[in-house]
Structures are given as C-alpha cells and as structure tokens.
Amino acid sequence: MFTAPDLSYMAFAPIIIVLLAGAIGVLVEAIVRDAATRRAAQLTLTLVATLGALIVAAVQWATTTEAGVVAQAGFFVMDKQALAWQCMLLVFAALGALLFAARTRAGEEAFTPLGSAAPGSPEEAEALRRKLEVTEVFPLLLFAVGGMMTFASTTDYLALFVALEVFSLPLYIMVALARRKRLLSEEGALKYFLLGAFSSAIYLFGVALLYGAAATTSYAGVLGAILASPGDLALFVPGAILVLVGILFKLGAVPFHTWSPDAYQAAPTPVTAFMAAATKAAAAAALVRIVFSSLYPLEWELSWMIWTVAIVTMVVGTVVALVQTDIKRMLAYSSVAHAGFILVAFAGFSPEALSAVPFYLLTYGLATIGAFAVITQVREKADDGTVGGEATRLGQWAGLGRRDPLLAGAMALFLLSFAGIPLTAGFIGKFQVFAAAIDGGGWPLVLVAVLASAAAAFFYVRLIVLMFLTDVPEDQQEAVEVDYHPYTRVVVWITVIATVFLGVMPVWALQAASDAGVLLTGL
Amino acid sequence: MFPFLTILVLLPLAGAALVRALPDGARGRVREVALGVTLLEALIGLVMLTQFDLGDAGTQQFTETYEWIPQIGTSWALGVNGFGLSMIVLALILTPLVILAEWRKDKKDPARTARYLALILVLQAFMVAIFAARDVFLFYVIFEAMLIPLYFLIGGFGGEQRRYAAVKFLLYSLAGGLIMLVAVVALYFVGPGGEQAYLIDNLAGYDFGTTPERLMFLAFFLAFAIKAPMVPVHTWLPTVAETARPGTTALLVAVLDKIGTFGMITLGLVIFPEASQWAAPVIIVFAVISVIYGAIAAIGQTDMLRLVSFTSVSHFGIMVLGIYAFQQTSVEGAALYMFNHGLSTGALFLVVAFLIDRKGSPYVGDYGGLQKVVPVFAGTFLIVGLSALALPGLSPFVSEIMVLVGAFEVAKIAVIVSATGVILAALYVLLTYQKVFTGPTKKGLEKTRELTLRERLVLWPLIGLMLVLGFFPSLAIDYLREPAAAVLTTINAEVSE
C-alpha cells in the first residue's frame, strides 16, 4: 500500500523558492513581449529569488540544530553542510545573474538574439535587426541552481542523478548561447553535452552496481551494506569507482576534464563565470557527502584512485595552462588544477575535509566569478572605433594596468588568490586543504600540490607582468577598449572585497565551515 | 603597554596609502611625504630603543598578542628581543636613506615616483612585522606577502631584464616558501595545537619526534637558505642586483635577506634544536662553500652590482657558519654581523649606484683614474669598500672576528678555509678600487661630479655608524648577548640529554 511520504516543505524552502521562481520565469517569457521590460522583470525575479532563498537558508542555518532535518523520505537532508553549500551556490547565482544582465556600452548583451537560428543564417540577421533577446537564460540559471542545491543536499544515488541532470541540461543550453563566435559556442556546447551524457551513463552504471550489491540506492544503505560485508567488495569497488568518475567529470578532474576548456572558452563569459564557480562547488559538495557518508569504509580501495587523479590533475592542469595563449582557456586549465587541489583534501579521508572543501570552493568561486567578470570588460576595438567581442588573447592584455589600474588591480588580486598568496582568500583555502590532507597522512600529496602551486604561480604572474610591467609602444598597442557596466563592476568589487576579507579576517567563515563539518547521514 | 610594534607596522602602510592618494597638485612633494613618514618611523624606533630594557635583552619586550584566526591556531603576536630590535632598527635606518638616495630618479614622472615610494613603504611595514613576529603562521604570511611589493619593485623599476629578474626572484622565493608551508601546516598537527598553536613560545622545546622534526626543519631551512642566499640556491640574487634599482637591491640584500639568517636563529634553532644539531655539519660545509664561492665569483665580475651581490653571498656564508657553530661568541658574532653587514652592504650598493648615476655604466672597465677628479667620492668609496673586507676600526671587522674565533674551537677546518675568504675579499675590493679610481683618468670622466650634499647625507651617517660600532662594539653587542645565550640554552640542553 502506498503511504504518503512525510514532506517537510519548510525545510526545503530555499530549493522550492528557486525552482518556483524558475517556473514563474518561464511564464514571464511567454507573457511579457517587450524585450527591455522582460529583461528587467527576469533580473528582478532572479535576484529576489536567489537572495530570498539565501535569507531563508541563512535563517535555517541560524535556527537549525546540530543535526538538521531529514526529510522527503530519506532522499534529502538539510544539515549545516548542505545549507553551507546552498548559501554559497545562491551567492554565486546572484552574482552570475548580475553578469547575465550586464551589457556593453553600445547596449550589446552577451547572448545571441535567437538561439535557434543557424549561425550566419538570414533568421539570425533578422533577429539581430529586430533586437530580439534571449532572456530565458535567467530561468535556466534558476533551474541550474535549483538542481545544484539539490545535488548538495541529496542522500541518495538516484536522487543525485536526477539533480545532476536538472542542473546540467540548462548549462548545456546556456553554453550554446554566445553572441559572437556562434559556431564555436555551439561546438563547445555539443562537446559538453555529449561528454556529459557519457559521464551520466557511467555514473548510472556505477549506481546499478552499487544497487546490485546493496539492494538500495541510499548513501546510508550502501554504507551499511559495505560495513556488513567486509570480505566481499567485488561489486562495491567498481560501483564506487564509476560513481566517482561521474562526479569527477563535473569537478573537471583529469582525465575527465576534456570538456572544460572548450566549454569555458565557448560559453558566453557570464555563463563561464557562473558555471566555473557553481558546477565545481556542486560537484565538490556531492563528493564530500558521498565520500564521508557512504564510501569511507572503502578508503583503502579508493585512495589510490584519488591520489592518482589528484596528482595527474594538478600536474596536467598546471603544465597545460602554462602554454595557453587565450585567457579563458588559461583560466579553464587553472580551474582543472584547482580541481586537483580540492582532491588533495581527500587524501586519507580526514574529516577536516568536511570544512576545508567548502571553504576552498568559496574562495575559488568568488575569485573565479570576479576574474571572468573582468574578462567581460576588456573588449576588442575595430579600426572605426566600434567595440567588438572580448579580447581574450593574452597579448591584448598588455598594458591594461595603465588603462584601468583599478580593474587590472582587481584581476591581479584574483590571480594572486588563485596562486594562494597570503592575505588573499585563496591562501587560507589552500592552507585548509593542505591541513586536511596532512591530518589524513597525505603529506606526499601536499608536497606535489605545493610544487604545482609554485609552477602555477608562474602563469598567474605572467598575466600580472603583462598587465602592469610590460611597456607597449603607442603604435603597437593592441586595439583594446575597457568597457563599463555598473552590474559588472558591482560584481567585481563584491568579489574583491570578499577575497581580501576572507584572506585577512577569515574567522567567521572558518567558524561557519567548521560548524558545517558534521554530516547528517539521512537515515 | 603602548602598542609600539603595531604602530610601527601600520604607520608605513598609512603612509603608502597617503602617497598614492596625493592629488596631482601635491604630487611634486611626494618624496618629502614619504621621507617624512620614514623619519617619523625612525623616531618611534629611537623611542623604543630608549624604552627597551637592556638588562633583560633576552626576553621578548613590547609584546602584543591578539587573537587572529583561532581556528587555525594563529595570533597577531608581536614582540622583540634585542636581536629582533637590532634588525628593526637596521630597517628603520636604511629605508629613509634609500629614499634619499633615489631622490632624483623619475623626477619628471611624479606618478611613477609615487608608485615606487608607496611600494617601498609597504615593504617597510612588512620588514618591521616579520622581525617582530612571534607567531610562525604570521611569520609565514609576511614572508610570502612581502614578495608582492618586492616583485613589483624589481619588475617595475630597473633595467631591461627586470621582468625576467622579477619572475626568477618570485619563483625561487615562492618555491622555498611553499615548501615551508608544508612544514607550517604540519606544525599544527604534530605540535601542541590549540588556539595558539603557532606561538613560537609554545613551540619552543616541544617534542615533535625525531623524524617529523628533521623533515620540518629541512623545509624551513630550504626557504631560509634561498632567502639568505646560500650556494647553490643563490643564483637569483646577482640577476636581481644587476637589473633592479640599486635602492631596491640595497634594501633587499641589507635587510630582507637577513630574514633568512634571522629565521635560522629564531625559528630554526628555537623550534628544532635537535634537527639543527643533526644538520649542522652539512650546513657548515655549504656555508664554507658559500664563503669561498661568493668571494671567487665576486673577483670575476665586471658588473659592480653583481660584484657586490656576490660579496654578500660570501658574507652570508660567514653568518651561517657562526650560527651553526653553536658557540656563544659565534652566534653573537653572527647576529652582530647581520646588523653590520646591513650597514656595510647598504652603503656599498648605494655608493656604486651613485657612481653609475655619473657614467651610466655598471662595468668596472668603463672607469679609471677618478681619484684625481673626485677625491671625496674616492675616499668615501674606499672606506665603504674597506668595511666590506672587514678592516679593523670598522664594525664588520668585529663581527667577522667574533664568528671566526668563536667557531674555531668546534670547526677548525671550516674557519681556516673561511678565513681565506677574508683575503679574497681584500682582492675584490682593492682591485675594483684600483681599476676605478687610480691610474690615468679615462676620457670623458674629467668632468665627473663630486659627491653631492644629498649623497653625503646618505653615505656618511652609515660610515659614522660603522666607525662608532667599530670602536665601541659593545653598544650593539649588549643587545645581542642574551638573545644568543637564550637560543644556545635550548641547543645545549639538547646536547646534554
């Protein structure tokens, strides 16, 4: 007989608010015809939804007991770990929405006027002439965030899969919507989609194996089954490995990273900003919960994989980033290297990782959004003075420190934070991650991480050299214009302040992270 | 207790902000503002000298401890003993002199001058903070963070190869620092832990277990050896010296490189006494190699800035020898040498810079017979040069003798070999003087400007100080005796066990 599950709607208010707002956003698309009004309405709706959900989540954080709420028939939990990730994702989403809404001085937005039109077709030209706009990116953003938030709070392998698809599908679409270099954009989206589908299949296969062994798909159930049959892990180990592959794909770890440089470069830069920060956060959230509430008895069987992937990811990400000439690709590979640093925290499965990983992702995400926001402001200039697409070749950034010292200074700060220089947030993040690894006995891994950081500093610093220390003669200067939009600048300054603040006074954030370091297992 | 040290850290930072914020109209006065800030800073330093309890020079004074990030066990803990104070005083003396020495650079570009001076002031804040840090984490943070102003000072102002030099410097320092970071993190887990896990007082004498202690010591030592710089990780220094502005290099070699030897004593010996003992023989070998290699390399240089930087490699070898001989006189001598070497090398870099200002060339071969044209300049140059070869009567002599005599008992061969370095020093100093100042005056040098008043104001106080401390070394030694003794107590306790 069917018994209705006990649903605690209040506990899940943040997710419900976001998804409901996404649904309303779709209706707004259908009803409001005027593009400018529609954009304003969508932006307002998105900001209200994300910030509202953020407030609700914060209140829940303040009022929640140590344990949090188990609900929806054991599929989800709202413990402090989940709430911490959700707050982080909502902040990223709100910042992302501001970037989505920003336009160039000439009033050009980052997205194509008509996603369904073939690149270069008469339909597209017509859409451009009629100044159409795809404002459905805002509901797509909300759906993606809703999926990610669910991803962070689920305690069931199948529910995780549903959440994975909920946040992935909007991302595939958004990647394809770049206004310029349409073919490249669609190619990147297609690659992302195909590889994403492939990794979903691998993940599902892993879940099937786990189900075959444990006869349940819940984290706790699998954990119990592993503990109950210590001698017979023949299905658990391959199942766990395949599940981890699926998550590592989203995290962008080598060798599952190949989508990320293409997708990062191809996507409209505001989407890249949001995707780079939020996808990685969601993937890390799921990884933390899976490892520490379900798979930790398999430490012996899994740690070789985590160590190998971590080392290869750090080395490949760093080395390949060294030779990039496109700034978006460079940051893409740097984000691959960061995936490796995140994995370092899992060496030895020290529970310190439960606090270290969220903090690391917060620092990384803020600097990433800030850095891509800066990229949207540096534009190519044609001979007749019209401002074109983003100037992403590294050479075009030479001398930016002269033209706009504040913007270039902000970029330099984000780069220093990526490099983990003290007094920036990135340093505290790295420190936490290394501490977790050393606590778990993983100091050789930390040594590799440290050497990779030193090498990575080289390409971050190279960009700083270009911006500040390279003298370019007037006549050889690349035609580059620094664009301006208040939304983008707001995002840049918020992330700058947060990066400095978390680097100098991380006390409260660390306290929150350590409060979040207790998992509720779900059953 | 009046927070002298925090003020000493914050004042230059405020000064840097002020310098950058000056409106265009007042930009012309930017040098005066910066100089004023550093003089005020020096004045506070002077007050601290008078307030310092010399009878108790071995304990930390002016201490301040505030909670910073209790979750990772670090505090904003400052304090100085006589040794730390001597280093801070050195930084406070040299910074205004460097600003004065670089007075005429970029005269037509006040915005650029403002950038340079702001960076120098930020650097000064870090210099004070690092010598006052009583918390390993804080020490590490400053150790790494100060690379940023230095990086911009080297890469933004100087010769053609400056970007290359800046990156080389940064990567060397960062690599050392990051390896140190592993040990810093490890300290939390193998150490006492808790909310003040990184206070040096809590870590001193803690039993980490032999292997962890040795590994952590090696990580710290590598970072300090790169900073100091010791052979074979010294190669960044000549590159930086030949390209950066001499003022920057003077601060770098005279003060910042001392962080290496300072760290060896205040962190290395204090926190890892057993491992220091264990590694001492090998370190002494490297120290001796540095002494000889630096001296021989200096003789081979044609670029005077490179020459001076190699003499420093040689001199740092002597300091390291003194530290790891673990004798009261040798450690005292090493600490004293750190101060005197700062005066001597600072003056040397600046006097070479003044010479280069006149002809525009750093090469010895482009000069000749200047003695007749600019006698005062020649005399000043000679005295400064003689201080580098440790002539009796000038303060470096005392410290070098103390190190060599003190270490003789335990490391006879090392001392004898190092003593030849002193003879080599006579070669590189006197040969250079001979080529530049004696003989027939080279064409085009007849009109060379005599030492100006500003330049005398820069150099003569340093020479005066070296003379005073050369004849009355106890003025400085009184500050260093007890800190050295305190450090050696922990080492010797380890030996007797």
Side-chain angles (χ1 to χ4, degrees):
Chain A
M1 198 191 96
F2 180 81
T3 46
D6 167 35
L7 300 179
S8 42
Y9 291 107
M10 274 317 289
F12 288 84
I15 298 177
I16 294 171
I17 290 173
V18 168
L19 290 177
L20 203 62
I24 296 173
V26 174
L27 290 179
V28 171
E29 276 306 299
I31 296 165
V32 184
R33 303 202 51 117
D34 175 52
T37 327
R38 202 169 65 229
R39 185 153 44 83
Q42 292 285 22
L43 176 65
T44 317
L45 178 65
T46 310
L47 285 181
V48 167
T50 47
L51 296 179
L54 183 64
I55 292 169
V56 173
V59 170
Q60 287 182 347
W61 171 279
T63 54
T64 200
T65 57
E66 197 70 17
V69 184
V70 186
Q72 322 309 72
F75 274 113
F76 305 99
V77 292
M78 287 297 250
D79 53 8
K80 284 203 168 179
Q81 174 87 19
L83 282 168
W85 287 109
Q86 294 185 354
C87 290
M88 189 192 306
L89 289 165
L90 287 167
V91 170
F92 293 167
L95 294 173
L98 281 175
L99 290 182
F100 280 20
R103 334 174 88 196
T104 67
R105 276 211 189 87
E108 180 183 302
E109 47 165 17
F111 302 97
T112 176
L114 190 63
S116 54
S121 63
E123 289 84 3
E124 188 181 48
E126 174 70 8
L128 271 173
R129 198 184 56 75
R130 286 169 54 186
K131 295 192 187 319
L132 297 186
E133 286 184 23
V134 286
T135 46
E136 57 260 45
V137 286
F138 291 100
L140 287 174
L141 173 83
L142 287 170
F143 287 132
V145 178
M148 288 169 179
M149 290 165 69
T150 319
F151 205 61
S153 71
T154 180
T155 55
D156 185 283
Y157 287 103
L158 266 187
L160 187 82
F161 177 72
V162 174
L164 178 86
E165 295 302 317
V166 168
F167 85 71
S168 294
L169 288 170
L171 284 178
Y172 301 144
I173 301 171
M174 286 194 283
V175 169
L177 290 179
R179 187 179 192 90
R180 292 165 187 277
K181 300 182 184 152
R182 292 281 309 130
L183 273 176
L184 191 73
S185 176
E186 293 187 355
E187 182 193 324
L190 191 63
K191 274 184 188 163
Y192 188 19
F193 172 68
L194 287 178
L195 288 172
F198 195 56
S199 82
S200 295
I202 292 176
Y203 173 82
L204 267 187
F205 188 34
V207 175
L209 290 178
L210 288 180
Y211 180 74
T216 167
T217 56
S218 79
Y219 293 177
V222 171
L223 172 68
I226 294 174
L227 291 175
S229 58
D232 182 20
L233 299 173
L235 281 179
F236 287 114
V237 174
I241 290 176
L242 293 179
V243 162
L244 288 186
V245 167
I247 307 289
L248 290 175
F249 174 87
K250 288 294 169 199
L251 192 67
V254 180
F256 321 109
H257 69 293
T258 44
W259 60 273
S260 69
D262 289 327
Y264 278 33
Q265 188 184 15
T269 306
V271 173
T272 314
F274 168 71
M275 180 170 80
T279 311
K280 216 167 275 267
L287 191 60
V288 168
R289 197 175 283 281
I290 287 181
V291 164
F292 287 101
S293 69
S294 185
L295 297 180
Y296 64 83
L298 299 178
E299 183 189 343
W300 176 251
E301 287 79 8
L302 294 180
S303 57
W304 64 270
M305 174 186 177
I306 294 193
W307 280 55
T308 316
V309 171
I311 291 175
V312 175
T313 304
M314 287 186 287
V315 171
V316 170
T318 306
V319 171
V320 182
L322 286 173
V323 297
Q324 296 306 315
T325 54
D326 181 283
I327 193 164
K328 282 171 83 175
R329 280 189 92 82
M330 187 190 94
L331 288 184
Y333 277 105
S334 120
S335 89
V336 170
H338 279 282
F341 291 128
I342 295 165
L343 287 176
V344 168
F346 291 91
F349 289 179
S350 157
E352 297 270 332
L354 288 170
S355 327
V357 173
F359 190 85
Y360 192 94
L361 263 301
L362 179 65
T363 66
Y364 161 81
L366 288 169
T368 301
I369 291 178
F372 281 108
V374 173
I375 291 176
T376 65
Q377 298 286 275
V378 182
R379 296 273 173 166
E380 281 170 343
K381 195 164 70 178
D383 290 336
D384 57 0
T386 53
V387 175
E390 285 146 6
T392 57
R393 260 186 309 115
L394 281 178
Q396 293 171 314
W397 283 60
L400 189 71
R402 293 277 136 75
R403 262 179 235 145
D404 193 337
L406 283 178
L407 195 68
M411 189 68 181
L413 178 77
F414 299 136
L415 293 170
L416 292 174
S417 185
F418 286 141
I421 301 287
L423 301 182
T424 62
F427 168 68
I428 306 283
K430 275 222 170 79
F431 185 90
Q432 292 288 97
V433 162
F434 291 170
I438 286 182
D439 187 45
W443 65 267
L445 200 53
V446 176
L447 215 54
V448 177
V450 153
L451 295 176
S453 307
F458 179 77
F459 60 80
Y460 296 128
V461 163
R462 190 177 53 182
L463 185 56
I464 299 181
V465 170
L466 264 178
M467 291 190 298
F468 285 98
L469 306 180
T470 308
D471 293 314
V472 193
E474 284 290 334
D475 50 327
Q476 286 172 28
Q477 248 169 22
E478 301 261 7
V480 168
E481 170 102 356
V482 179
D483 201 36
Y484 178 87
H485 193 279
Y487 293 166
T488 314
R489 297 296 166 123
V490 164
V491 170
V492 170
W493 293 122
I494 289 176
T495 47
V496 161
I497 291 167
T499 301
V500 173
F501 183 77
L502 289 176
V504 178
M505 279 306 290
V507 178
W508 298 301
L510 283 174
Q511 190 57 51
S514 95
D515 288 347
V518 187
L519 282 185
L520 195 62
T521 46
L523 276 182
Chain B
M1 187 69 207
F2 190 70
F4 275 109
L5 289 166
T6 298
I7 288 179
L8 224 45
V9 173
L10 293 181
L11 177 65
L13 288 180
L18 176 67
V19 161
R20 284 310 301 264
L22 278 185
D24 285 339
R27 271 279 164 80
R29 293 266 161 251
V30 66
R31 292 172 181 77
E32 285 82 351
V33 172
L35 186 65
V37 171
T38 54
L39 287 178
L40 185 61
E41 181 92 347
L43 195 68
I44 300 176
L46 203 62
V47 174
M48 281 178 67
L49 268 182
T50 62
Q51 299 283 310
F52 189 78
D53 178 8
L54 202 50
D56 200 13
T59 46
Q60 302 282 349
Q61 302 184 23
F62 307 111
T63 52
E64 302 168 36
T65 313
Y66 306 103
E67 212 173 62
W68 181 23
I69 316 175
Q71 289 97 339
I72 50 183
T74 180
S75 357
W76 175 261
L78 300 181
V80 284
N81 58 18
F83 180 36
L85 186 64
S86 76
M87 287 293 104
I88 289 179
V89 167
L90 179 66
L92 297 188
I93 293 174
L94 279 172
T95 318
L97 294 182
V98 163
I99 292 178
L100 200 58
E102 303 265 312
W103 200 261
R104 299 176 62 84
K105 295 272 167 73
D106 286 328
K107 201 77 179 162
K108 294 196 187 77
D109 189 350
R112 193 172 153 83
T113 313
R115 281 204 298 278
Y116 182 78
L117 292 173
L119 286 170
I120 290 277
L121 287 171
V122 171
L123 194 61
Q124 189 184 30
F126 282 134
M127 288 193 285
V128 171
I130 198 158
F131 290 124
R134 286 193 300 120
D135 182 287
V136 177
F137 187 92
L138 179 63
F139 182 92
Y140 175 79
V141 164
I142 304 164
F143 189 87
E144 292 282 62
M146 73 197 310
L147 299 179
I148 297 166
L150 260 178
Y151 170 78
F152 282 105
L153 277 170
I154 297 169
F157 307 87
E160 277 181 13
Q161 288 288 307
R162 61 178 195 267
R163 282 186 298 280
Y164 167 74
V167 170
K168 188 171 178 182
F169 162 77
L170 187 75
L171 288 185
Y172 260 90
S173 309
L174 211 56
L178 283 167
I179 288 173
M180 184 165 124
L181 174 62
V182 181
V184 171
V185 178
L187 266 181
Y188 185 84
F189 290 101
V190 296
E195 294 200 345
Q196 295 194 327
Y198 282 113
L199 268 196
I200 294 175
D201 300 342
N202 294 349
L203 290 167
Y206 191 85
D207 184 12
F208 305 104
T210 309
T211 313
E213 176 172 342
R214 289 180 181 175
L215 286 174
M216 288 190 292
F217 171 78
L218 288 180
F220 273 93
F221 187 81
L222 181 67
F224 295 149
I226 290 175
K227 200 86 184 176
M230 282 175 78
V231 177
V233 283
H234 66 288
T235 59
W236 60 269
L237 179 61
T239 313
V240 169
E242 72 181 320
T243 47
R245 276 202 187 166
T248 311
T249 320
L251 281 182
L252 180 66
V253 179
V255 185
L256 291 163
D257 285 355
K258 301 294 188 308
I259 295 166
T261 41
F262 183 82
M264 286 178 199
I265 296 177
T266 51
L267 300 184
L269 297 195
V270 172
I271 302 178
F272 313 109
E274 190 276 335
S276 300
Q277 289 268 343
W278 163 74
V282 181
I283 294 174
I284 287 184
V285 170
F286 276 104
V288 174
I289 294 174
S290 296
V291 173
I292 301 300
Y293 179 87
I296 293 176
I299 294 174
Q301 298 305 315
T302 52
D303 180 324
M304 280 184 279
L305 291 168
R306 281 180 74 89
L307 187 150
V308 179
S309 71
F310 272 112
T311 70
S312 287
V313 171
S314 177
H315 293 151
F316 274 104
I318 292 187
M319 291 171 215
V320 175
L321 169 67
I323 295 169
Y324 285 93
F326 304 129
Q327 300 301 308
Q328 172 69 29
T329 322
S330 72
V331 175
E332 225 174 281
L336 182 62
Y337 202 4
M338 285 167 64
F339 185 78
N340 288 330
H341 176 263
L343 300 178
S344 157
T345 301
L348 204 52
F349 268 113
L350 295 177
V351 78
V352 169
F354 294 152
L355 190 61
I356 295 171
D357 282 347
R358 285 166 167 73
K359 175 83 166 76
S361 157
Y363 297 107
V364 178
D366 290 343
Y367 297 90
L370 278 175
Q371 205 171 24
K372 282 160 255 169
V373 191
V374 283
V376 180
F377 198 122
T380 310
F381 189 99
L382 187 62
I383 297 178
V384 173
L386 290 176
S387 77
L389 66 75
L391 184 81
L394 291 162
S395 57
F397 165 75
V398 187
S399 26
E400 214 166 294
I401 285 295
M402 283 173 72
V403 169
L404 294 179
V405 170
F408 187 71
E409 219 165 289
V410 285
K412 289 198 177 60
I413 299 171
V415 168
I416 293 169
V417 179
S418 303
T420 60
V422 182
I423 301 165
L424 293 173
L427 267 181
Y428 58 68
V429 170
L430 294 176
L431 276 178
T432 310
Y433 180 81
Q434 191 186 7
K435 284 181 198 151
V436 173
F437 289 97
T438 61
T441 308
K442 277 230 168 154
K443 266 223 171 91
L445 291 176
E446 298 86 354
K447 291 265 168 67
T448 306
R449 223 169 350 109
E450 183 54 285
L451 211 57
T452 63
L453 177 64
R454 176 178 58 85
E455 290 164 341
R456 288 174 203 204
L457 276 177
V458 172
L459 293 174
W460 289 2
L462 289 174
I463 294 175
L465 211 52
M466 282 194 279
L467 279 170
V468 171
L469 291 178
F471 284 101
F472 307 104
S474 62
L475 286 179
I477 293 176
D478 286 346
Y479 285 90
L480 305 172
R481 186 175 300 120
E482 285 182 36
V487 167
L488 287 173
T489 325
T490 50
I491 290 277
N492 293 332
E494 201 70 33
V495 174
S496 58
E497 259 172 27

